[in-house]
């Protein structure tokens, strides 16, 4: 998590750079104009030089900020830039004459650099302290080796006071930097918790609703209902489960049902189809809406074959008088989400009713399909024509057994 935080903080530093670098550019240009207006020509050389160098560095950094490698290591690169600006300041002071403005007043730039480092560029706390210490020590070095030998006693006293004030100012600014990183770290942890909770809630939603429905709910859709031209529906009913429920204790009964439906859920995931709902000891599945109808129908039939194998295996292991009856039909449906507090994804239409009838009029241990599904898959699977049967609500229809 610490590595993730450091990566995130580097990206945060790069994001802030997009805003504070233009501010810095405007500030430097303003100083250049102020120098030109306010100071004699002899004093302007060094001033304009350092301003121009700083301006070029800021412009380069602004464009580098959009490079991925720079973003990943923005703390390091911005630290190098701050050090280069500081060295530029010290270089100008070292070259200045004792009576030059840059000799006497450029320490103000060090104060500004300390403030920028601690409070603006979002350098991390430890690194910011190292940079500030470097600014102060480098100024002390310039003062001792370049300013003291040519300065008056009054100037030396002022320089000593400046070094002391730089240290005091850094000490004040360090608290700001500490709390900036403290709150940033806290926000990162809170965001991590929020993201984990969001992922958990989305995973829960995906266990209840299809992915495309979850996406639409997240986007703000309140009414989700669509018509689909070709969807394959499977109904499976556990034959004999009602009799078993009369003799088995409730915990054992629920355990058996959970084992069966968990296996069915895993098969649904394996074949990339949608579990719609369970109704008592019945199980409803559909092909994914919007997918290729023929390929999806094949997946549903393969699923049906595996469901029969699961029940046969469980029947032998548990020694239970259990069987399964499966019906499949393909056709148009209306699909959508209903409910408010306990919403559910469901499908409606003649296709659903027909698939249900294919199951209820089927044969134990077999898969019965409608003529529509048969015509779609007759060259992929071996079907046996069962003949015509009278189906409630549909009349006489031709059906086939897998």
């Amino acid at each position: 998590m610490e590595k993730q935080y450091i990566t995130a903080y580097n990206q945060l530093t790069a994001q802030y750079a997009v805003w504070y670098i233009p501010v810095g550019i405007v500030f430097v240009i303003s100083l250049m104009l102020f120098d030109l207006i306010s100071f004699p020509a002899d004093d302007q050389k060094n001033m304009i030089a350092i301003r121009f160098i700083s301006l070029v560095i800021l412009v380069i950094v602004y464009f580098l900020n959009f490079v991925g490698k720079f973003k990943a290591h923005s703390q390091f690169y911005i630290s190098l830039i701050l050090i280069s600006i500081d060295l530029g300041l010290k270089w100008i002071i070292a070259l200045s004459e004792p009576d030059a403005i840059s000799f006497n007043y450029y320490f103000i730039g060090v104060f500004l650099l300390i403030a920028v480092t601690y409070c603006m560029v979002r350098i991390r706390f430890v690194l910011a302290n190292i940079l500030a210490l470097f600014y102060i020590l480098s100024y002390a070095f310039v003062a001792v080796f370049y300013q003291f030998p040519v300065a008056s006693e009054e100037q030396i006293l002022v320089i000593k006071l400046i070094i002391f004030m730089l240290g005091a100012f850094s000490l004040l600014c360090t608290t700001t930097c500490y709390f900036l990183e403290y709150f940033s770290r806290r926000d990162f942890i809170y965001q991590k918790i929020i993201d984990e909770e969001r992922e958990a809630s989305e995973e829960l939603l995906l266990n209840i609703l299809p992915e495309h429905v979850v996406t639409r709910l997240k986007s703000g859709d309140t009414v989700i209902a669509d018509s689909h031209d070709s969807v394959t529906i499977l109904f499976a009913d556990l034959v004999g489960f009602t009799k078993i429920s009369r003799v088995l204790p409730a915990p054992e009964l629920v355990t058996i049902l959970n084992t069966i439906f968990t296996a069915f859920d895993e098969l649904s995931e394996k074949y990339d189809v949608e579990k719609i709902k369970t109704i008592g000891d019945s199980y409803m599945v559909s092909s994914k809406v919007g997918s290729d109808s023929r390929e999806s129908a094949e997946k549903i039939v393969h699923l049906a074959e595996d469901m029969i194998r699961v029940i046969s295996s469980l029947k032998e292991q548990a020694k239970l008088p259990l069987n399964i009856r499966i019906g499949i039909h393909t056709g148009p449906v209306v699909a959508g989400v209903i409910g408010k507090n306990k919403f559910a994804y469901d499908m409606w239409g003649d296709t659903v009713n027909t698939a249900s009838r294919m199951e209820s009029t089927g044969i134990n241990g077999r898969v019965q399909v409608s003529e529509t599904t048969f015509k779609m898959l007759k060259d992929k699977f071996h079907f046996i024509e069962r003949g015509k049967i009278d189906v409630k609500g549909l009349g006489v229809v031709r059906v086939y057994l897998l």
Side-chain angles (χ1 to χ4, degrees):
M1 187 177 288
E2 182 66 19
K3 289 181 179 179
Q4 292 175 355
Y5 170 72
I6 291 171
T7 300
Y9 202 89
N10 272 294
Q11 293 173 349
L12 180 68
T13 303
Q15 289 173 5
Y16 272 89
V18 175
W19 299 101
Y20 66 69
I21 290 177
V23 173
I25 291 172
V26 172
F27 178 73
V28 172
I29 293 173
S30 301
L31 284 178
M32 290 176 71
L33 294 174
F34 180 79
D35 292 343
L36 289 170
I37 295 169
S38 305
F39 297 107
D42 292 340
D43 294 332
Q44 288 178 11
K45 281 186 180 180
N46 292 336
M47 292 180 177
I48 297 299
I50 187 61
R51 304 279 193 261
F52 181 76
I53 292 170
S54 300
L55 185 63
V56 171
I57 291 173
L58 287 171
V59 171
I60 292 172
V61 173
Y62 182 78
F63 288 105
L64 283 176
N65 191 60
F66 298 99
V67 178
K69 189 175 180 180
F70 182 88
K71 288 182 178 180
H73 305 283
S74 60
Q75 293 274 310
F76 173 75
Y77 289 119
I78 290 176
S79 296
L80 289 181
I81 292 158
L82 292 170
I83 289 173
S84 66
I85 292 173
D86 177 71
L87 290 176
L89 279 170
K90 307 305 169 44
W91 175 64
I92 296 298
I93 295 172
L95 294 179
S96 301
E97 297 296 331
D99 59 343
I101 294 174
S102 53
F103 183 88
N104 293 301
Y105 297 104
Y106 257 47
F107 69 87
I108 296 173
V110 183
F111 276 98
L112 291 175
L113 205 55
I114 290 173
V116 167
T117 301
Y118 275 121
C119 307
M120 193 171 181
V121 296
R122 300 308 294 266
I123 295 293
R124 294 187 65 194
F125 177 70
V126 174
L127 184 55
N129 282 311
I130 293 172
L131 289 173
L133 184 62
F134 175 82
Y135 303 155
I136 297 169
L137 292 178
S138 62
Y139 181 79
F141 175 83
V142 170
V144 170
F145 288 96
Y146 292 94
Q147 288 186 309
F148 279 12
V150 295
S152 64
E153 290 186 8
E154 186 178 350
Q155 284 180 318
I156 291 174
L157 181 60
V158 170
I159 291 169
K160 290 179 178 179
L161 180 61
I162 289 169
I163 295 172
F164 173 79
M165 292 302 294
L166 286 172
F169 185 65
S170 296
L171 190 61
L172 291 173
C173 289
T174 193
T175 56
T176 301
C177 184
Y178 173 81
F179 282 110
L180 282 173
E181 184 171 348
Y182 170 80
F183 288 118
S184 173
R185 184 180 291 273
R186 190 182 67 173
D187 290 345
F188 173 81
I189 294 171
Y190 286 166
Q191 189 60 50
K192 193 80 174 172
I193 294 171
I194 291 170
D195 290 341
E196 289 175 355
E197 291 299 325
R198 185 185 294 113
E199 288 176 7
S201 64
E202 287 183 9
E203 187 177 346
L204 181 61
L205 276 175
L206 288 171
N207 287 332
I208 302 171
L209 304 171
E211 185 176 356
H212 72 278
V213 174
V214 173
T215 302
R216 289 179 62 179
L217 283 172
K218 286 166 60 180
S219 67
D221 285 3
T222 54
V223 178
I224 298 177
D226 299 295
S227 298
H228 303 282
D229 295 332
S230 182
V231 175
T232 301
I233 306 290
L234 175 150
F235 274 94
D237 184 62
L238 297 177
V239 181
F241 194 80
T242 303
K243 292 181 180 179
I244 296 173
S245 65
R246 296 192 187 109
V247 296
L248 288 180
E252 189 175 343
L253 186 73
V254 172
T255 299
I256 292 172
L257 193 62
N258 182 61
T259 301
I260 293 170
F261 283 170
T262 298
F264 288 177
D265 289 346
E266 290 172 354
L267 290 173
S268 298
E269 187 174 348
K270 172 185 174 182
Y271 289 109
D272 194 29
V273 297
E274 296 287 359
K275 170 190 174 181
I276 303 302
K277 59 184 175 181
T278 58
I279 312 165
D281 55 3
S282 297
Y283 194 87
M284 178 182 175
V285 180
S286 83
S287 59
K288 285 198 171 181
V289 297
S291 58
D292 179 82
S293 58
R294 181 183 173 86
E295 183 181 347
S296 298
E298 289 180 31
K299 291 179 179 180
I300 290 292
V301 173
H302 283 306
L303 170 67
E305 292 175 324
D306 282 357
M307 291 170 83
I308 290 175
R309 293 190 189 99
V310 166
I311 297 302
S312 298
S313 176
L314 183 65
K315 182 180 179 179
E316 291 179 5
Q317 292 176 8
K319 306 298 181 183
L320 294 172
L322 190 63
N323 216 322
I324 190 171
R325 192 170 56 231
I326 299 175
I328 300 174
H329 176 59
T330 304
V333 299
V334 173
V337 177
I338 56 173
K340 182 179 180 181
N341 296 327
K342 292 185 178 181
F343 47 79
Y345 180 73
D346 210 343
M347 292 183 172
W348 306 274
D350 289 340
T351 298
V352 178
N353 296 331
T354 303
S356 178
R357 296 289 183 262
M358 290 299 102
E359 176 272 309
S360 61
T361 60
I363 298 174
N364 294 348
R366 302 295 296 274
V367 180
Q368 181 168 272
V369 304
S370 66
E371 190 170 11
T372 305
T373 305
F374 164 75
K375 289 179 179 179
M376 184 180 291
L377 300 177
K378 61 182 179 180
D379 59 337
K380 289 286 184 179
F381 298 93
H382 178 63
F383 293 97
I384 300 172
E385 184 178 347
R386 187 182 177 190
K388 294 182 178 180
I389 61 173
D390 189 13
V391 179
K392 182 181 178 182
L394 299 175
V396 178
V397 296
R398 192 180 301 275
V399 295
Y400 299 82
L401 295 174
L402 179 67

